[in-house]
């Protein structure tokens, strides 16, 4: 099969299409002919080498990135239900290997693709969908909340806006850079949109307080967002797209009555394997019921995985970015 392979860390060009040995499903696994594979922001950080030595980086190179796939089951391993053969499934691979024509999934993590969802849409609800559901649960968003979402036109962002709306939040504020992204944030449920391209963006909110911040950008943006939280506020941190995490002192947050909730734990409750499967089913189910709108902003042919990474790094993408083998 063909797969996008990383042999060294570096710029997007280090992702190269190669002919590699077909993977084989192990015990309790299925083999999927990949129709769509998700690209995650963090994979650009892994590829560059910025995360080398951390648990997010591969144990060794060469390595094929990608954890979100959907497609037809073309083989089943021992212990996996043969009735899965021929079915359309979507799921997260145990480790990586998604940027490829074939990928292996644990049968337990192979969710049926709901009617009405394309392979690419299903992919946008896997790691990204379950993350958004987990973050929403972690924050416990309710009708009294004023929710602020950073990179609101991004893959996680458009889902968080919708989940906050669905939870009845009294106000949803979307932050993004540039008019195109701000329009999208409005389309996906933000009442108020702010361009955080320049420091001081929060002045436009006046004295308004925020009760929940979803921080996937970190750095100075996360810091400025934190300042908007009053007593009872929740600062939910789950990423550092800016390259730096938000620096917060535990005592500083406690002194202001703000709870800091990290997606990375501890506790790791919302990310345990059972919780992840449930949250993925929730995301797919909400979309199937028309209550969560998946948004695939761009697709790239598999050989152009480098272009997909470049677009993400240049902040040109909106919604989910998907590779089509
Ligand atoms: N997708 C997942 O499954 C998942 C899971 C766990 C954690 N996360 C984390 O959640 C965050 C968002 O992930 P995502 O997949 O939804 O990505 P995304 O929001 O679609 O893309 C990242 C966005 O971050 C913003 N950004 C701000 N500063 C940036 C910078 N210096 N360089 C590049 N982008 C910058 C950009 O939006 P603006 O131009 O509007 O600023 C950019 O489009 C990431 O930190 C990611 O690691 C994601």
């Amino acid at each position: 099969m063909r797969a996008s392979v990383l042999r060294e860390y570096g710029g997007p060009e280090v992702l190269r299409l190669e002919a590699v040995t077909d993977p084989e499903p192990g015990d309790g696994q299925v083999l999927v002919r990949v129709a769509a594979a998700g690209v995650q922001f963090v994979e650009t950080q892994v590829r560059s080498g910025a995360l080398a030595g951390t648990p997010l980086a591969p144990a060794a190179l060469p390595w094929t990135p990608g954890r979100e796939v959907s497609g037809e089951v073309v083989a089943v391993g021992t212990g996996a239900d043969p009735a899965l053969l021929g079915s359309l499934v979507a799921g997260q691979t145990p480790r990586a290997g998604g940027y490829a024509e074939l990928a292996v999934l644990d049968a337990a993590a192979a969710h049926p693709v709901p009617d009405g969802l394309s392979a690419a849409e299903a992919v946008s609800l896997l790691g990204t969908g379950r993350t958004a559901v987990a973050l929403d649960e972690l924050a416990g968003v309710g009708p009294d909340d004023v929710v602020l979402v950073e990179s609101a036109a991004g893959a996680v962002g458009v889902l968080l806006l919708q989940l906050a709306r669905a939870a009845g939040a009294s106000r949803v504020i979307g932050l993004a850079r540039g008019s195109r992204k701000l329009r999208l944030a409005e389309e996906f449920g933000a009442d108020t949109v702010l361009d955080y391209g320049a420091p001081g963006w929060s002045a436009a909110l006046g004295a308004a307080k925020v009760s929940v911040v979803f921080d996937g950008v970190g750095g100075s943006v996360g810091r400025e967002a934190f300042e908007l939280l009053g007593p009872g506020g929740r600062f939910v941190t789950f990423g550092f797209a800016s390259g730096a995490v938000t620096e917060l002192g535990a005592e500083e947050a406690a002194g202001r009555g703000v709870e800091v909730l990290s997606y990375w734990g501890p506790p790791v409750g919302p990310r345990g394997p059972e919780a992840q499967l449930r949250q993925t089913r929730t995301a797919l189910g909400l979309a199937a019921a028309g209550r969560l709108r998946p948004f695939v902003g761009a697709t790239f042919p598999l050989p152009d995985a480098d272009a997909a990474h470049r677009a993400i790094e240049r902040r040109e993408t909106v919604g989910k970015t998907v590779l089509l083998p």
Side-chain angles (χ1 to χ4, degrees):
M1 69 159 182
R2 299 181 311 161
S4 185
V5 179
L6 184 73
R7 292 190 170 275
E8 58 186 331
Y9 294 121
E13 67 284 354
V14 299
L15 282 173
R16 293 199 192 93
L17 198 70
E18 294 188 9
V20 301
T21 310
D22 289 1
E24 285 184 20
D27 192 21
Q29 294 186 319
V30 299
L31 184 69
V32 172
R33 180 179 298 121
V34 179
V39 182
Q40 295 201 347
F41 184 86
V42 73
E43 289 159 2
T44 67
Q45 295 174 311
V46 171
R47 188 222 66 235
S48 74
L51 300 179
T54 75
L56 292 168
L61 301 181
W63 178 70
T64 291
R67 289 209 54 206
E68 303 161 315
V69 298
S70 68
E72 183 188 344
V73 175
V74 291
V76 296
T78 52
D81 184 356
L84 285 167
L85 265 178
S87 60
L88 287 180
V89 298
Q92 281 201 275
T93 68
R95 278 177 296 278
Y99 295 10
E101 290 175 325
L102 294 167
V104 165
L105 291 179
D106 290 338
H111 305 271
V113 174
D115 287 346
L117 289 190
S118 70
E121 286 171 333
V123 149
S124 76
L125 298 162
L126 298 174
T128 299
R130 75 165 169 73
T131 297
V133 169
L135 295 171
D136 185 58
E137 289 178 355
L138 197 58
V141 176
D144 293 333
D145 283 315
V146 175
V147 177
L148 183 146
V149 178
E150 299 169 7
S151 60
V156 178
V158 293
L159 300 181
L160 283 176
L161 292 173
Q162 295 181 71
L163 292 172
R165 266 272 79 87
S170 64
R171 186 179 185 189
V172 180
I173 302 166
L175 305 182
R177 206 180 62 156
S179 55
R180 171 178 171 240
K181 291 183 179 181
L182 294 178
R183 268 197 310 277
L184 272 169
E186 278 177 328
E187 196 183 309
F188 281 91
D191 308 292
T192 306
V193 292
L194 291 176
D195 192 323
Y196 60 6
W201 50 266
S202 60
L205 291 173
K209 282 289 172 208
V210 167
S211 60
V212 175
V213 167
F214 287 115
D215 174 39
V217 170
S220 59
V221 168
R223 183 69 223 185
E224 195 163 335
F226 172 77
E227 300 293 340
L228 297 167
L229 289 165
R234 286 90 82 206
F235 186 84
V236 184
T237 166
F238 63 100
F240 47 96
S242 65
V245 296
T246 302
E247 298 288 347
L248 297 176
E251 285 175 17
E252 176 189 21
R256 292 195 17 196
V258 171
E259 201 178 356
V260 178
L261 300 163
S262 170
Y263 176 73
W264 311 107
V268 291
R271 297 186 62 228
E274 285 309 314
Q276 290 191 5
L277 289 177
R278 178 182 56 75
Q279 287 151 350
T280 307
R281 276 195 300 273
T282 298
L284 288 165
L286 286 172
R291 290 162 55 201
L292 183 65
R293 183 176 145 205
F295 179 43
V296 177
T299 60
F300 292 82
L302 176 64
D304 298 343
D306 59 335
H309 272 220
R310 207 167 282 117
I312 289 174
E313 286 180 343
R314 289 179 178 163
R315 300 167 78 159
E316 291 166 0
T317 58
V318 291
K320 187 73 185 172
T321 303
V322 174
L323 300 176
L324 302 177

